[in-house]
Amino acid sequence: MTTLKPNLKRAKRVLFSFVCLMVLQLVASGYYVIHYLKLQNIREEHHYPENLFEKYIVQEDLLWFIYTIVFLTAAILFLHWFRRAYRNLTTKAVRLKYSEQVAVWSWFIPFLNLLRPYQIMRELFSRTYKLLDRAHIVYGKKIPVYYLKLWWFMGWGSMLLMSFSNRYKSGENELSSLITQTILGGLSFICSFLALCMFYKLVKAYSKIEKLLILLPDIQTVVHTDTDTETPVPVL
């Protein structure tokens, strides 16, 4: 009897939340482009509307409020899926490097979250592919490793751009600073969109091969009484 827990519905919820987030990222990118053109026009005409900076801050705060709600929803749904996916793999593979708890908390621990979530995601794919290959189960084309690298680097690149953008936002109310902040904010959302597109592809690809794990035998622990050691072996 398999101990594999269903995860397909969770994957579908994650993918839907990613689509909502990508739409919002495109809207935000468009907002920054339009605002950049307006600011350039103001600088050329040397005509500064009243409360220019105050209006901009209010609009951007509203945009970020909506984006944060959607982002947190997508993040929670993803972590639920991610933990279940790694937990399912532990029932089929021995000697995984991490636990399902680490698969979740590694995203929140400072410095550890610089690389560990990427390593766990990479192990999720590599170990699953190896298990299916050994069992001669056909699953289609593998996801290239560079997809994972691009997703991770672009995600962090987006966060760095947004960090620089916020520094200009908290600075002096000058038109040049506002233009620079608008450029950085727009680039950040574009990078986020590209990273999320790759993330969408990764989650969708793994959800397809994860359901094939049910064809594999489970792992159970057999205790050897003579040595008092435990050895994980497949259940036939």
Side-chain angles (χ1 to χ4, degrees), residues 13-214:
R13 295 190 192 104
V14 172
L15 295 176
F16 177 76
S17 67
F18 281 3
V19 170
C20 294
L21 197 57
M22 285 189 286
V23 170
L24 194 54
Q25 287 170 342
L26 288 177
V27 172
S29 300
Y31 163 79
Y32 277 108
V33 170
I34 293 173
H35 199 76
Y36 169 77
L37 295 175
K38 288 182 178 180
L39 292 175
Q40 287 286 20
N41 187 50
I42 290 173
R43 184 163 66 175
E44 291 174 0
E45 295 181 355
H46 301 285
H47 174 67
Y48 294 81
E50 294 183 3
N51 303 323
L52 172 64
F53 300 100
E54 290 79 4
K55 289 180 181 179
Y56 177 78
I57 291 174
V58 170
Q59 292 173 357
E60 192 177 42
D61 287 346
L62 177 61
L63 175 65
W64 271 103
F65 176 75
I66 298 172
Y67 182 80
T68 300
I69 292 176
V70 179
F71 177 84
L72 290 177
T73 302
I76 292 171
L77 292 173
F78 166 75
L79 290 174
H80 276 257
W81 172 84
F82 191 56
R83 178 170 181 168
R84 174 66 60 83
Y86 201 76
R87 183 264 171 201
N88 283 338
L89 183 60
T90 61
T91 66
K92 305 295 181 179
V94 296
R95 297 193 231 9
L96 291 177
K97 294 181 180 179
Y98 315 101
S99 66
E100 59 179 292
Q101 290 78 18
V102 173
V104 174
W105 289 111
S106 62
W107 294 84
F108 303 98
I109 301 175
F111 301 108
L112 187 67
N113 59 7
L114 291 174
L115 192 59
R116 187 55 53 81
Y118 162 79
Q119 293 173 334
I120 296 175
M121 179 69 84
R122 183 170 178 173
E123 183 186 36
L124 195 67
F125 275 94
S126 63
R127 292 301 298 272
T128 303
Y129 283 141
K130 287 181 181 179
L131 289 172
L132 296 177
D133 285 338
R134 290 173 183 172
H136 304 289
I137 297 175
V138 179
Y139 51 80
K141 188 177 180 180
K142 289 184 179 180
I143 289 292
V145 176
Y146 72 84
Y147 269 49
L148 290 162
K149 293 180 179 179
L150 284 175
W151 154 64
W152 194 244
F153 287 132
M154 293 194 72
W156 274 108
S158 171
M159 294 180 66
L160 289 174
L161 286 170
M162 187 51 62
S163 176
F164 290 133
S165 175
N166 289 332
R167 289 185 181 181
Y168 280 95
K169 182 179 178 180
S170 60
E172 297 180 359
N173 290 338
E174 297 181 356
L175 184 60
S176 58
S177 297
L178 194 58
I179 291 175
T180 303
Q181 192 266 336
T182 301
I183 294 173
L184 292 174
L187 290 175
S188 174
F189 272 108
I190 292 173
C191 286
S192 294
F193 174 78
L194 296 176
L196 194 56
C197 286
M198 295 180 187
F199 207 9
Y200 180 95
K201 185 176 181 64
L202 292 173
V203 173
K204 186 177 181 179
Y206 191 80
S207 66
K208 289 181 178 179
I209 61 175
E210 183 185 18
K211 59 186 178 183
L212 297 177
L213 291 176
I214 198 171

